[in-house]
Amino acid sequence: MNSWLDTPLTEALGCRYPIVQTAMGWVADANLVIATTQAGGFGFLAGATIAADELEGEILKVIDATGGSNFGLNFHMFQDNATQCVDLAIKYRLRAVSYGRGPDKQTIARFKAAKVLCIPTVGALKHALKAVELGADLITIQGGEGGGHTGGVPSSILLPQVLAAVKVPVIAAGGFSTGRGLASVLAAGGAGIAMGTRFLMTRESPTPAATLEHYLKVNDPQQVRVTTAVDGMRHRMIENRFINHLEQAGSFGRLRIALGSAWQWKQQTGMSLGHMAAVFVRALREDPSALSQVVMAANQPVLLQRSMVDGAPDEGILPSGQVAAAIGELLSCREVIEGIASEAQQCLDALLARSQARPSHHPASIGEPL
Ligand SMILES: Cc1cc2nc3c(=O)[nH]c(=O)nc-3n(C[C@H](O)[C@H](O)[C@H](O)COP(=O)(O)O)c2cc1C
């Protein structure tokens, strides 16, 4: 392989290709991370939805199958098992952690001492600047076209903004599935791409067939839209019967559904009533206006589970990037990764060949008409 694909990302993460499989609740399990790692990409386990007593087992499964800890763990500090995720990432010296709402400086210092790289995902320039200030080693920008929780700035605007503003390597996420996309990111100065939806739509994805059918059927990016009805935050998903029902339920109806989800989540995770009350009280103290968001946050894992685990796509939510509309078939992780790498290589080789084929005189400097 040509050095186009050797980037600060491959150097920092020790993988062959500058291609990251992002964390997705109930989807990014050990098998998906193993398939990604073995194909030369870099994978993140979705810590938020792996039960506390299974997380260490999933980490060990990837270590056994891949012969090392060259993969990452995703978590969010507001999650119940955040402390466990932090401790396990450090215990097993995982190569990296990713997160949205991030850990504090002390926790980041612990990661740094253990040489675990911190790779936050940000959806706006100001969050990128804050993440660097807190100690991010690399940054993933997620454009608004991306799946799951997502901001409102498209990748085409956010990537150049962040590249111009920070010195750490920048990975681009949100809307990627092709080698052309990877080539454009590398040419702009990015370190690589990260993809969720493309990896959800692979043969190694644990997503039930009935649910995957919904993803494969999407052929118009407008069918994958943003809603705030699930947990009060911007969340991009495929429109389905359930999401329309949730939006029409009104705020009281939504709170009732969210309380039901919170209860189910409590039963599933074994969370004590005391702990649940402590989470609410903490949220109240930090930001009283966010309390309804905390209750609604329980919606996310429970509603996701219905489609991603139970195989009932119309009774749960279908988080997805708009790129689902551009993906027509399930491939293996290896086919995805190698296909993207080779197409990017061809694009960049062609660009170089075009510039070399030009007459050697320079007819115009930048700014003059050609
Ligand atoms: C089904 C699904 C579940 C997701 N769950 C999580 C999650 O648990 N944690 C997280 O940080 N991001 C999550 N995301 C966002 C992805 O990690 C990733 O940033 C996003 O999918 C990138 O955009 P793309 O789908 O256009 O590739 C999820 C995305 C999808 C599609």
Side-chain angles (χ1 to χ4, degrees), residues 15-367:
C15 50
R16 182 164 183 199
Y17 301 117
I19 299 172
V20 172
Q21 163 253 303
T22 63
M24 289 169 281
W26 302 114
V27 179
D29 62 3
N31 288 336
L32 192 67
V33 174
I34 291 167
T36 300
T37 313
Q38 290 177 339
F42 188 88
F44 279 97
L45 277 174
T49 47
I50 301 175
D53 55 347
E54 287 170 20
L55 186 55
E56 190 160 12
E58 286 285 284
I59 290 175
L60 286 170
K61 193 170 165 185
V62 184
I63 292 177
D64 285 349
T66 61
S69 22
N70 237 17
F71 59 95
L73 180 64
N74 173 266
F75 66 94
H76 300 284
M77 276 326 266
F78 57 80
Q79 261 170 237
D80 218 34
N81 66 345
T83 313
Q84 187 202 19
C85 289
V86 171
D87 291 344
L88 287 175
I90 291 173
K91 176 176 174 187
Y92 289 102
R93 297 278 193 274
L94 300 189
R95 187 63 86 122
V97 286
S98 68
Y99 44 84
R101 204 172 293 175
D104 55 21
K105 275 198 164 165
Q106 286 78 2
T107 310
I108 290 177
R110 283 181 64 204
F111 284 132
K112 287 195 181 290
K115 297 201 169 12
V116 177
L117 296 171
C118 294
I119 316 185
T121 302
V122 299
L125 175 61
K126 66 176 182 193
H127 297 147
L129 296 173
K130 180 78 188 166
V132 171
E133 189 194 312
L134 283 170
D137 297 292
L138 295 89
I139 282 191
T140 302
I141 63 104
Q142 177 172 326
E145 57 274 68
H149 289 116
T150 201
V153 190
S155 298
S156 56
I157 297 175
L158 189 56
L159 177 65
Q161 270 186 326
V162 174
L163 281 170
V166 305
K167 293 206 163 56
V168 298
V170 179
I171 304 164
F176 293 95
S177 69
T178 64
R180 288 189 162 90
L182 172 58
S184 69
V185 169
L186 297 180
I193 55 169
M195 302 181 295
T197 304
R198 178 62 274 197
F199 280 105
L200 183 150
M201 298 173 74
T202 55
R203 288 208 288 273
E204 290 90 345
S205 166
T207 311
T211 300
L212 279 175
E213 242 174 67
H214 279 242
Y215 282 80
L216 284 166
K217 263 196 225 144
V218 174
N219 51 24
D220 175 359
Q222 304 301 323
Q223 288 169 266
V224 190
R225 64 179 179 81
V226 168
T227 180
T228 54
V230 175
D231 57 9
M233 292 184 274
R234 288 174 52 91
H235 211 163
R236 190 177 285 288
M237 55 193 60
I238 298 173
E239 186 172 65
N240 68 350
R241 208 166 56 209
F242 183 82
I243 203 64
N244 290 332
H245 164 69
L246 197 63
E247 285 178 337
Q248 284 155 18
S251 39
F252 183 71
R254 279 204 289 278
L255 186 64
R256 195 178 47 74
I257 293 170
L259 282 170
S261 297
W263 187 253
Q264 198 178 324
W265 190 237
K266 174 200 163 317
Q267 307 290 88
Q268 243 172 270
T269 55
M271 199 194 294
S272 70
L273 265 180
H275 184 100
M276 210 166 165
V279 170
F280 290 146
V281 170
R282 199 172 62 219
L284 252 181
R285 266 204 218 112
E286 282 174 11
D287 180 4
S289 66
L291 183 62
S292 64
Q293 267 194 23
V294 174
V295 180
M296 285 165 81
N299 259 344
Q300 153 84 3
V302 171
L303 300 180
L304 192 56
Q305 188 177 17
R306 290 191 194 149
S307 38
M308 298 302 167
V309 181
D310 305 343
D314 268 321
E315 287 160 38
I317 56 171
L318 303 167
S320 171
Q322 290 187 287
V323 74
I327 300 173
E329 59 176 337
L330 303 180
L331 299 174
S332 69
C333 287
R334 185 172 291 282
E335 285 166 334
V336 167
I337 291 173
E338 291 183 350
I340 289 177
S342 107
E343 188 180 82
Q345 178 89 31
Q346 281 168 30
C347 286
L348 294 166
D349 284 346
L351 197 62
L352 180 66
R354 268 211 309 273
S355 81
Q356 287 170 342
R358 285 237 179 97
S360 59
H361 70 279
H362 293 282
S365 61
I366 292 174

